[in-house]
Amino acid sequence: MKITVTVIKADVGGIGGHTRPSDGLLNAVKNLVKPQVRKDGKGLLIDSYIGYCGDDIHIVMTHTKGVNNSQVHGLAWRAFEAATRVAKSEGLYGAGQDLLKDSFSGNVKGMGPGVAEMTFEERPNEAFTIYAADKTEPGAFNYPFYRMFVDTLSNTGLIVNQNLSKGVRINVMDVEKGKIATLNMWEDKPTLEAALMYPGRYVVSTVTTKDNQPILAASTDRLHNIAGTYVGKDDPICIIRTQKDFPATEEAGAAFNNPHLVAGNTRGSHHMPLMPVKLNSPASINYAIPIVSALVFSMHNGVLTGPVDGFESVDWDYVRNIAMRRAMAIRSQGFVHPATLVPDELEYGVGYRARMSILWSRMRPIPGASPNVKNHGQKPNQNNKPQQQKQGQKPQQNQQRPQGQRPPQQGQKPGQKPQQGNRPQQGQRPGQKPQQNQQRPQQGNRPQQGQQQRPQGQRPPQQGQRPQGQHPQQKPQQGNRPQGQHPQQGNRPQQQKQGQKPQQNQQRPQGQRPPQQQKPQQQKPQVKSESKSTEIKVKKPRAPRKKKADTTTKPAVSTVSSSAPKTETST
């Protein structure tokens, strides 16, 4: 015989606040539901039970009409409307709070009340447990459900039960988007765990065996998604079939013996442990800790036997003590997260946004600070990566490329190193020695004297003192480089300079090409520069520069002869 078990709950009023419904409310519900239970089978229901958890009234009904039946749902809706009228007459708090619609539309889902129901072929000794919670949200059941059907450390039945060891199918609902996904155990275990990390959005709605036997059904409606504003927590309820091919009653109950933190509490905006309580317990006024009760039923031909209070025994007092210690510890943290929910999950989000609007109205930009600090901090990191690669490949070009952007405009004659091409522009072009002046200051403080004596400054550290006697002969070679009078001596400095600093190699081709095309233009400024250098050398007795003037001008020969013995004495 196929039986449908339907459980519908709603908060339609509480005494002095969100504590418990009055007896007048409970009687108003019973007066409408009980007449529908008839032994002759002509009634709408086979059996029913009415109770409460905190300030929520739950109606348990058995029938053969199937799920989402408009007559069964309409009966529950009318019962809650009658209770609302009583709540208003008694002045109860939150009268009709969960009735978010003005009129019934055929199904209470999406209208405020929470619904859990399933249809199944009744077993000879059908057993199931209903868990009703208050001051929390539907995702509060995610962790216990995981312990029942996935965690073998909590439920050894997943190992020894041949049917459960095959795995189950778990439907996870996105309560924000209104979509559902079916996950198969055991292959989808990691995906399920990822979803259950965020119980505020992803909620376990149903569980079935691999052969499609229904095991679990839970309410998933989020009231703030329906009403658009906070009208109370969602207070979930669920049905779990137990024994035989399903989890044992004790295995299902033990899944609640570790009071885990859930969203809820006073104003529905805090994290607090879910505490198991006895049947028909009011909500606590000690911050209204989230609570859950267990109604254990047996059923035959749709007739209920029970319920037994699943959390009444003494051992659950110990669990309640654990829950209270955890509750006091986290609630003592006050408003600081994670004691409170994140802003998007705050049930009183309107008030919070009002406070934050004052704060942001007084915000002023920091001088010199970027408005998008995170994005601005990521861009330099991305831009530095290619720079670091270029620096690792060609460190010289990367350091001087901002200067090297201009020389390519003047021409690519120097080669690929525009830095050296820029320096002669800043120095003296008539002679190529100013370029050497920019190269040699790295070795010592001879930028001024290097223009006249760099041939001496280059060779003495490499060859010793020999070049001092050779400078008078080698300097004319440097002046006559395009003519090539001294190929041996003229090539040596080129090889040395190429091995040491390739910057000179780029400049010499400039010095070699112009003599072929414009020889007189380049030689004339050299004479002027050398004549100037001779005057400086007269002041500073250094022979090599005077001999350069000898190669170009005749009257400077006497100065060379006078300086030659000075170099010999120095040697």
Side-chain angles (χ1 to χ4, degrees):
M1 179 179 181
K2 282 193 174 183
I3 300 294
T4 301
V5 178
T6 301
V7 183
I8 302 177
K9 44 85 29 186
D11 177 6
V12 292
I15 301 173
H18 297 288
T19 57
R20 57 151 289 181
S22 66
D23 292 339
L25 269 67
L26 295 171
N27 291 330
V29 173
K30 292 177 181 179
N31 292 336
L32 282 176
V33 174
K34 290 297 182 180
Q36 296 297 324
V37 177
R38 297 178 57 178
K39 295 181 179 179
D40 57 5
K42 294 182 179 180
L44 179 64
L45 305 176
I46 299 175
D47 205 350
S48 66
Y49 171 82
I50 298 165
Y52 64 92
C53 178
D55 58 353
D56 291 322
I57 299 175
H58 46 255
I59 306 173
V60 181
M61 298 172 283
T62 62
H63 55 91
T64 58
K65 305 297 182 179
V67 298
N68 296 323
N69 181 264
S70 59
Q71 292 179 334
V72 175
H73 284 222
L75 173 63
W77 182 264
R78 292 191 302 273
F80 289 135
E81 282 184 330
T84 298
R85 290 190 291 269
V86 175
K88 291 180 179 179
S89 64
E90 293 179 351
L92 300 184
Y93 185 79
Q97 175 177 284
D98 285 356
L99 303 183
L100 305 181
K101 305 295 181 180
D102 295 332
S103 60
F104 179 70
S105 60
N107 191 314
V108 296
K109 287 186 177 181
M111 300 184 68
V115 182
E117 57 183 346
M118 66 172 70
T119 299
F120 51 86
E121 191 72 30
E122 186 184 82
R123 296 171 293 175
N125 45 6
E126 187 65 47
F128 61 91
T129 302
I130 295 174
Y131 293 94
D134 186 31
K135 303 300 183 288
T136 187
E137 62 182 6
F141 285 158
N142 283 357
Y143 175 66
F145 292 166
Y146 178 85
R147 298 185 70 191
M148 291 180 202
F149 299 103
V150 183
D151 185 14
T152 57
L153 294 176
S154 299
N155 183 6
T156 55
L158 299 173
I159 301 174
V160 299
N161 188 313
Q162 294 182 356
N163 193 35
L164 291 178
S165 63
K166 298 176 183 177
V168 295
R169 291 190 180 96
I170 299 178
N171 290 324
V172 177
M173 179 180 291
D174 184 345
V175 295
E176 296 292 338
K177 300 295 184 181
K179 297 181 179 181
I180 195 168
T182 300
L183 301 178
N184 295 317
M185 299 298 109
W186 303 96
E187 57 269 28
D188 292 332
K189 178 176 176 288
T191 304
L192 174 68
E193 293 169 345
L196 299 188
M197 289 176 65
Y198 300 100
R201 178 168 180 174
Y202 301 101
V203 178
V204 175
S205 60
T206 61
V207 178
T208 63
T209 62
K210 289 294 181 66
D211 55 357
N212 295 323
Q213 295 186 69
I215 307 176
L216 179 149
S219 62
T220 57
D221 286 343
R222 297 294 305 270
L223 296 182
H224 71 81
N225 292 343
I226 302 171
T229 185
Y230 180 68
V231 292
K233 289 307 291 183
D234 312 302
D235 304 333
I237 196 166
C238 70
I239 307 169
I240 301 176
R241 300 176 71 191
T242 57
Q243 302 302 125
K244 297 293 183 180
D245 293 338
F246 313 133
T249 304
E250 300 80 11
E251 292 169 344
F256 292 88
N257 64 10
N258 183 19
H260 63 295
L261 297 178
V262 299
N265 196 229
T266 305
R267 300 190 184 277
S269 299
H270 299 79
H271 282 119
M272 290 280 276
L274 183 63
M275 182 174 71
V277 295
K278 298 179 180 180
L279 289 181
N280 300 325
S281 293
S284 172
I285 62 172
N286 183 14
Y287 289 127
I289 184 173
I291 57 177
V292 58
S293 59
L295 295 78
V296 182
F297 286 99
S298 286
M299 183 177 67
H300 183 67
N301 293 331
V303 178
L304 299 172
T305 302
V308 170
D309 188 349
F311 296 146
E312 184 182 13
S313 57
V314 178
D315 56 326
W316 289 101
D317 292 337
Y318 174 75
V319 177
R320 282 187 274 272
N321 289 332
I322 295 175
M324 280 310 305
R325 285 196 296 270
R326 294 180 181 178
M328 296 302 293
I330 192 168
R331 200 60 174 81
S332 64
Q333 191 164 319
F335 59 84
V336 180
H337 182 78
T340 54
L341 305 184
V342 296
D344 292 340
E345 288 294 327
L346 289 176
E347 297 297 349
Y348 283 82
V350 176
Y352 177 78
R353 288 191 293 271
R355 303 284 74 72
M356 294 304 296
S357 64
I358 298 174
L359 175 65
W360 284 107
S361 66
R362 299 179 184 179
M363 287 287 183
R364 298 294 181 270
I366 300 173
S370 175
N372 297 324
V373 177
K374 292 183 179 180
N375 294 332
H376 181 70
Q378 293 176 356
K379 290 180 180 179
N381 292 332
Q382 296 176 355
N383 293 330
N384 287 333
K385 290 180 179 179
Q387 291 179 0
Q388 292 176 357
Q389 292 176 357
K390 292 180 180 179
Q391 290 177 359
Q393 294 175 356
K394 295 179 180 180
Q396 295 178 354
Q397 295 178 356
N398 290 329
Q399 294 175 356
Q400 297 176 352
R401 277 187 184 174
Q403 297 176 356
Q405 293 176 356
R406 295 179 180 175
Q409 296 176 357
Q410 297 176 356
Q412 298 178 351
K413 295 178 181 180
Q416 296 179 352
K417 294 182 179 178
Q419 298 172 355
Q420 298 173 355
N422 287 332
R423 291 180 180 174
Q425 293 176 359
Q426 296 175 357
Q428 295 178 355
R429 289 185 183 176
Q432 298 177 354
K433 295 178 181 178
Q435 297 175 353
Q436 297 176 355
N437 291 330
Q438 295 177 355
Q439 297 172 356
R440 288 299 175 182
Q442 297 176 355
Q443 296 179 354
N445 296 323
R446 297 180 180 176
Q448 296 177 356
Q449 298 176 357
Q451 295 177 356
Q452 298 174 355
Q453 296 178 356
R454 281 198 181 174
Q456 295 176 357
Q458 293 175 355
R459 293 178 182 175
Q462 296 175 355
Q463 296 177 357
Q465 297 177 354
R466 294 178 183 177
Q468 294 179 356
Q470 295 175 356
H471 282 297
Q473 297 175 354
Q474 293 177 354
K475 286 183 179 179
Q477 292 175 359
Q478 294 177 353
N480 295 322
R481 286 176 186 172
Q483 295 176 359
Q485 292 178 358
H486 297 281
Q488 295 178 355
Q489 295 178 354
N491 291 329
R492 289 179 183 175
Q494 292 178 356
Q495 293 176 354
Q496 291 175 357
K497 292 180 180 179
Q498 290 176 355
Q500 292 178 354
K501 294 183 179 180
Q503 297 176 353
Q504 296 175 355
N505 294 328
Q506 295 175 355
Q507 297 172 356
R508 287 186 180 175
Q510 293 178 356
Q512 291 175 358
R513 291 177 183 175
Q516 294 176 357
Q517 297 175 354
Q518 297 177 355
K519 293 181 180 179
Q521 292 178 356
Q522 292 182 352
Q523 290 178 355
K524 289 179 181 180
Q526 289 178 356
V527 174
K528 292 180 181 180
S529 63
E530 290 173 354
S531 63
K532 292 180 181 180
S533 64
T534 54
E535 294 176 358
I536 297 171
K537 290 178 181 180
V538 173
K539 295 178 182 180
K540 294 181 182 180
R542 289 187 181 177
R545 295 300 177 187
K546 294 179 181 180
K547 289 182 179 181
K548 286 184 180 180
D550 295 338
T551 57
T552 55
T553 59
K554 294 179 181 180
V557 175
S558 61
T559 58
V560 174
S561 62
S562 62
S563 60
K566 291 181 182 180
T567 56
E568 292 176 357
T569 56
S570 63
T571 57

